[in-house]
Amino acid sequence: MGKVVKFPGSDDESKGNGEENKKQSTETHALSQEEFVSYLEPLKEGLLKLYPSQVKEVVGVAGFGEERGKEAFLMGILMWEHFNNPQPIASTFLATFIDKKLDKISFLEAKRNYHDWKLMIDTYQDRFNTKEMFEKLQELRKQFFGD
């Protein structure tokens, strides 16, 4: 017959949870080593699905990232085996994840990408510190490749 209406602030538990969930989804934090490692399997799975004729196996990753709610932005160097090359290949990457699933990935050395890495840096700057992260990635690249 009637409709139940709750007034703002009448349910203390849901108010607390709402504020807590809002805080979690709007704060960006750097990934700890353990958090970064938790993205390695989803990264590998995503790469094998996106590039089934190229990526034979992911053999290593060095990098870092940030998380904001259910989203994450990772950058680093990926070591992977190609079906046509006996030596592992190193690629510099930027990747986004939603709910721990690979959403977008771009490789700096690739001539063709599904997503432009420069555009990704600009697009995600409002949620992540992408420009600062990219500077850190350049330092990692110099250490790894010696450029």
Side-chain angles (χ1 to χ4, degrees), residues 19-31 35 66-72 126-129:
E19 286 175 9
E20 195 172 296
N21 290 338
K22 184 178 177 184
K23 184 178 178 182
Q24 287 177 356
S25 65
T26 60
E27 287 185 8
T28 301
H29 74 276
L31 294 176
E35 289 170 319
E66 292 182 351
E67 202 171 49
R68 180 184 179 117
K70 295 181 178 188
E71 287 185 293
D126 66 335
R127 290 173 280 192
F128 301 98
N129 298 303

Side-chain angles (χ1 to χ4, degrees), residues 47 51 78 80 91-94 105-110 113 117:
L47 287 169
Y51 304 100
L78 177 72
W80 57 285
S91 301
T92 312
F93 75 93
L94 284 72
I105 190 160
S106 186
F107 298 97
L108 275 63
E109 297 83 11
N113 275 303
W117 61 267

Side-chain angles (χ1 to χ4, degrees), residues 11-141:
D11 187 2
D12 291 334
E13 283 184 34
S14 66
K15 181 181 175 187
N17 290 339
E19 286 175 9
E20 195 172 296
N21 290 338
K22 184 178 177 184
K23 184 178 178 182
Q24 287 177 356
S25 65
T26 60
E27 287 185 8
T28 301
H29 74 276
L31 294 176
S32 68
Q33 183 68 28
E34 294 81 23
E35 289 170 319
F36 181 80
V37 168
S38 73
Y39 283 94
L40 298 185
E41 194 60 34
L43 176 63
K44 178 181 174 180
E45 289 173 7
L47 287 169
L48 293 173
K49 285 180 186 174
L50 287 172
Y51 304 100
S53 65
Q54 296 177 42
V55 179
K56 182 178 178 181
E57 183 65 48
V58 174
V59 294
V61 178
F64 50 87
E66 292 182 351
E67 202 171 49
R68 180 184 179 117
K70 295 181 178 188
E71 287 185 293
F73 199 107
L74 274 61
M75 293 186 188
I77 298 172
L78 177 72
M79 296 289 295
W80 57 285
E81 291 179 357
H82 192 286
F83 282 105
N84 298 330
N85 192 341
Q87 298 297 324
I89 299 169
S91 301
T92 312
F93 75 93
L94 284 72
T96 60
F97 293 80
I98 298 175
D99 287 328
K100 295 268 182 159
K101 291 184 182 175
L102 181 62
D103 180 49
K104 296 177 185 165
I105 190 160
S106 186
F107 298 97
L108 275 63
E109 297 83 11
K111 293 178 183 171
R112 291 176 293 169
N113 275 303
Y114 289 116
H115 305 282
D116 180 83
W117 61 267
K118 293 175 188 172
L119 185 59
M120 285 176 69
I121 289 171
D122 290 339
T123 302
Y124 289 90
Q125 179 62 33
D126 66 335
R127 290 173 280 192
F128 301 98
N129 298 303
T130 57
K131 292 178 180 172
E132 295 83 355
M133 289 171 67
F134 190 72
E135 289 175 18
K136 191 175 173 182
L137 179 62
Q138 294 304 330
E139 297 283 326
L140 181 62
R141 258 184 119 234

